[in-house]
């Protein structure tokens, strides 16, 4: 009996739903530790302590709002699907290994391909055998989602979705605000974490309260450190106009054809409207004038032979 390993990969999608529950659990534990156990009661103390508590709690809720907004935008937004029977608008020979040739009939079988690409009987690189559809430049097939994703970066189990052309900005904002939130939680819980050992020894606080503060501090510290690494990595990818997959496709010593300069590379993900850069939104104007935000066409460098 033949077993399709690619279809088995789709079972990993169920793992993502458990990860969503884990994210919610971390948010609940952090909220309980920061707001209800440590800084919330200080609002009633008066003076500088109350002012500091008010400021920190305001910042905590603001970051939590932006974090949640970005997170659900990544979860719910389609990363970019290939239109049925897609064909390139213009000759795609400029895109090395992507869309260099498309079939006359997108629904044809692999055995009926013409020989104009020099590989008779084999489908060209601009066509996905599993989807039986055209494959735009920078597009890749996700074995977990069982479909092609435009400008695919990776499949993220934390959001039960692929990260691609249409939700990459939201994913980056989710990383940024989660890093800021967990870093803030780490610092505001640090005094209570230090006091944890003396209070636990003297039994001056309830075991439940001490356990929540300890767990919340450790979780937030671990996430802050790991997210810092992800932010640095994705920051370098954004400014070089590269995806996580394309890192392994780029040739050393050769100019990357999609690298248009840091400013333009950034705008191809975040748009040109500065007022919206830090919100999980894209303006209609940017969607109309920046083809890369749709994931079907991408400008290339004029000084690179592709």
């Amino acid at each position: 009996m033949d077993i399709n390993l690619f279809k088995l990969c789709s079972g990993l999608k169920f793992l993502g739903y458990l990860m969503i529950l884990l994210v919610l659990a971390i948010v609940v534990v952090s909220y309980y530790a920061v707001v209800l156990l440590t800084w919330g009661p200080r609002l009633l103390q008066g003076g500088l302590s109350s002012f500091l508590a008010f400021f920190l709690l305001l910042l905590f809720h603001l970051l939590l709002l932006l974090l949640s907004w970005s997170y659900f935008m990544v979860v719910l937004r389609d990363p970019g699907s290939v239109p049925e029977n897609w064909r390139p608008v213009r000759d795609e020979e400029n895109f090395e290994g992507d869309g260099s040739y498309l079939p006359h009939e997108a629904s044809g079988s692999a055995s009926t391909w013409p020989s104009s690409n020099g590989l008779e009987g084999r489908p060209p690189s601009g066509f996905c055998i599993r989807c039986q559809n055209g494959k735009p430049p920078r597009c890749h097939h996700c074995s977990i989602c069982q479909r092609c994703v435009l400008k695919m970066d990776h499949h993220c189990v934390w959001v039960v979705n692929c990260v691609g052309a249409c939700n990459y900005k939201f994913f980056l904002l989710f990383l940024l605000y989660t890093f800021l939130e967990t870093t803030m939680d780490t610092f505001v819980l640090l005094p209570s974490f230090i006091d944890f050992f003396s209070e636990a020894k003297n039994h001056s606080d309830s075991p439940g309260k001490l356990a929540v503060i300890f767990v919340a501090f450790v979780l937030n510290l671990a996430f802050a450190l790991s997210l810092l690494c992800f932010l640095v990595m994705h920051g370098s990818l954004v400014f070089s106009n590269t995806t996580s997959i394309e890192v392994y496709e780029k040739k050393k010593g050769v100019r990357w054809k999609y690298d248009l300069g840091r400013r333009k590379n950034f705008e191809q993900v975040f748009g040109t409207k500065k007022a919206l850069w830090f919100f999980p939104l894209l303006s209609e104007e940017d969607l109309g004038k920046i083809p890369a935000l749709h994931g079907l066409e991408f400008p290339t460098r004029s000084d690179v032979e592709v």
Side-chain angles (χ1 to χ4, degrees):
M1 182 177 65
D2 294 333
I3 299 178
N4 191 331
L5 297 178
F6 292 104
K7 288 188 175 181
L8 291 178
C9 290
S10 62
L12 295 175
K13 199 167 186 178
F14 291 101
L15 177 62
Y17 296 106
L18 298 178
M19 304 305 276
I20 290 181
L21 294 178
L22 179 58
V23 170
L24 293 176
I26 295 172
V27 170
V28 170
V29 170
S30 300
Y31 192 93
Y32 186 70
V34 174
V35 178
L36 300 180
L37 293 182
T38 56
W39 289 94
R42 300 190 185 188
L43 289 172
L44 305 176
Q45 293 180 1
L48 182 60
S49 179
S50 293
F51 176 79
L52 181 59
F54 176 80
F55 174 77
L56 291 176
L57 291 176
L58 180 64
L59 182 59
F60 175 90
H61 285 90
L62 177 61
L63 290 174
L64 182 60
L65 174 63
L66 292 170
L67 181 162
S68 303
W69 185 9
S70 301
Y71 180 71
F72 285 108
M73 287 294 288
V74 181
V75 173
L76 300 175
R77 178 64 65 91
D78 190 316
S81 301
V82 183
E84 188 176 357
N85 297 325
W86 177 85
R87 296 187 183 194
V89 177
R90 63 176 184 268
D91 184 11
E92 293 294 339
E93 290 182 357
N94 289 333
F95 298 99
E96 184 180 33
D98 283 308
S100 58
Y101 176 83
L102 288 177
H104 295 293
E105 295 293 339
S107 59
S109 61
S111 60
T112 60
W113 297 107
S115 58
S116 58
N117 65 334
L119 299 173
E120 186 163 1
R122 294 175 58 188
S125 58
F127 186 81
C128 180
I129 302 175
R130 295 192 286 278
C131 292
Q132 288 294 294
N133 197 12
K135 196 174 179 182
R138 313 184 78 177
C139 175
H140 291 83
H141 186 90
C142 176
S143 300
I144 298 177
C145 294
Q146 292 292 302
R147 66 186 178 109
C148 281
V149 176
L150 299 177
K151 195 189 174 185
M152 179 178 173
D153 188 87
H154 69 288
H155 182 92
C156 182
V157 295
W158 289 95
V159 301
V160 204
N161 201 0
C162 272
V163 176
C166 300
N167 66 353
Y168 188 41
K169 174 187 176 180
F170 311 145
F171 173 75
L172 294 175
L173 290 177
F174 166 61
L175 288 183
L176 173 64
Y177 291 128
T178 305
F179 168 72
L180 294 177
E181 181 75 69
T182 53
T183 300
M184 174 188 166
D185 292 352
T186 301
F187 280 109
V188 299
L189 288 174
L190 182 59
S192 299
F193 178 76
I194 295 174
D195 294 339
F196 163 83
F197 300 99
S198 60
E199 292 177 356
K201 183 178 179 180
N202 300 327
H203 304 286
S204 57
D205 254 322
S206 66
K209 177 181 177 180
L210 296 175
V212 169
I213 292 176
F214 180 85
V215 170
F217 177 84
V218 172
L219 284 176
N220 279 279
L221 176 61
F223 271 87
L225 293 176
S226 60
L227 286 171
L228 177 60
C229 299
F230 276 105
L231 275 175
V232 172
M233 181 189 75
H234 279 284
S236 66
L237 293 178
V238 168
F239 286 113
S240 62
N241 203 349
T242 311
T243 65
S244 298
I245 295 175
E246 290 170 341
V247 168
Y248 302 98
E249 297 177 351
K250 293 169 67 174
K251 297 178 181 178
K252 292 183 178 180
V254 178
R255 285 181 178 270
W256 182 234
K257 56 190 174 184
Y258 299 115
D259 188 355
L260 307 176
R262 291 190 174 187
R263 174 82 179 193
K264 290 185 177 180
N265 292 342
F266 181 85
E267 290 177 348
Q268 286 200 14
V269 177
F270 284 82
T272 59
K273 300 294 183 181
K274 296 180 181 179
L276 298 180
W277 280 354
F278 295 100
F279 296 98
L281 297 169
L282 290 167
S283 69
E284 292 295 329
E285 182 181 348
D286 283 338
L287 290 172
K289 71 179 183 181
I290 304 178
L293 293 176
H294 297 282
L296 290 173
E297 294 183 61
F298 302 92
T300 57
R301 295 176 63 103
S302 59
D303 60 341
V304 176
E305 185 178 350
V306 295

